[in-house]
Amino acid sequence: MRKKDLLARVGDSEFVLILSSLMGEGHAILAANKILLGATAPLTIGEADVGVQIVLGIALLSGDTA
């Protein structure tokens, strides 16, 4: 995340990440892929390996519509 981005918890296990100043659909897809790669890496807590399941969606808003 960059300082200008916003991460908010909206449910028990639901989060929203708002990435400002993206340069279009390609950058949004690149960011989504980075999130998926980082979040699906194995995580070990104590002696247990913990997996995370992610459902990811993308919504784009152009500066013209804000």
Side-chain angles (χ1 to χ4, degrees), residues 24-39:
E25 182 180 333
H27 279 170
I29 292 169
L30 179 63
N33 284 326
K34 286 182 177 182
I35 291 167
L36 287 172
L37 283 173

Side-chain angles (χ1 to χ4, degrees), residues 42-64:
L43 178 63
T44 302
I45 300 176
E47 294 185 21
D49 291 331
V50 179
V52 178
Q53 184 177 23
I54 294 179
V55 176
L56 192 139
I58 298 173
L60 298 173
L61 176 67
S62 72
D64 298 339

Side-chain angles (χ1 to χ4, degrees), residues 10 17-18 33 42:
V10 295
L17 177 58
I18 299 174
N33 284 326

